Amino acid sequence: LNSFFLFPLQMEPLLYAGFLALCSFALLLGGLFMLVVLLGLVLAVSRYAFKVAALASRGVTHSADYRQHLFDEDWKWLPWKFVGVSLVHGLVIGFLAVKSAALGVVANLLSSFLIPATLMVLINTCSLRAALNPFELLATVARVGKSYFLLCLFLFLLMQGAPMAAGMLAAVVPSAVLAP
């Protein structure tokens, strides 16, 4: 856990985050250029996040230890495969919600619960098919055990804390500085 929270303070991730934050100022220009910059930023962040997660899953938690031979060429496709999984989840949730609002809520909760397992399977197999296989996902949850539920709780708290922190910062930091 300490390595997870200290990772952004290492030199390479800190410089990369700073560079992307500077690039995000281009979003203030508006128009079509803003859309291109936003797509580029999302792609850059997601590719880096998947690379970091994949290396961390192999025990490499310090950016100074990143070596080219550790990188798998298939990792660059992981963000797109995750988008595919998200689209399939959305279609299933939408289909079930049309049938019954309660089914839609249950499907949405189940999808949210399985997102960490989906990422684990996707990173370890680089397979869209495996990441969509409910038996593979449930087997991953079972292998992780009780810690998986703790992970989901922790992720939920992080997701709730980010908007709260942004709201508190908005009161004291100019919006042009807060966006990056």
Side-chain angles (χ1 to χ4, degrees):
L1 211 49
N2 291 340
S3 297
F4 174 78
F5 282 110
L6 292 176
F7 183 83
L9 300 177
Q10 297 175 40
M11 188 55 71
E12 180 194 327
L14 192 60
L15 289 173
Y16 192 64
F19 172 73
L20 292 177
L22 287 174
C23 291
S24 70
F25 278 118
L27 295 173
L28 301 174
L29 298 174
L32 183 61
F33 184 69
M34 181 182 84
L35 185 61
V36 172
V37 170
L38 183 61
L39 183 61
L41 286 171
V42 168
L43 182 60
V45 168
S46 62
R47 284 187 68 180
Y48 191 73
F50 271 104
K51 177 178 88 169
V52 168
L55 288 169
S57 74
R58 288 159 176 80
V60 182
T61 57
H62 296 286
S63 63
D65 296 335
Y66 288 5
R67 303 287 181 261
Q68 192 59 37
H69 72 277
L70 296 173
F71 300 120
D72 188 339
E73 189 64 26
D74 291 334
W75 291 349
K76 69 181 177 184
W77 300 107
L78 292 180
W80 299 110
K81 290 179 181 182
F82 185 68
V83 167
V85 169
S86 299
L87 287 173
V88 170
H89 280 220
L91 289 171
V92 170
I93 292 167
F95 175 76
L96 291 173
V98 167
K99 298 293 182 191
S100 162
L103 275 177
V105 169
V106 169
N108 198 8
L109 288 172
L110 184 61
S111 173
S112 297
F113 175 72
L114 291 175
I115 289 296
T118 301
L119 292 171
M120 291 175 198
V121 170
L122 199 53
I123 287 168
N124 286 321
T125 65
C126 294
S127 167
L128 179 63
R129 184 175 300 159
L132 287 170
N133 183 341
F135 298 112
E136 183 76 33
L137 298 176
L138 292 174
T140 300
V141 171
R143 280 193 300 272
V144 174
K146 290 185 275 188
S147 298
Y148 188 84
F149 294 94
L150 187 60
L151 170 67
C152 288
L153 174 65
F154 192 64
L155 290 173
F156 174 77
L157 293 174
L158 280 174
M159 291 175 67
Q160 297 308 307
M164 289 180 195
M168 291 186 324
L169 284 173
V172 295
V173 177
S175 62
V177 175
L178 185 59

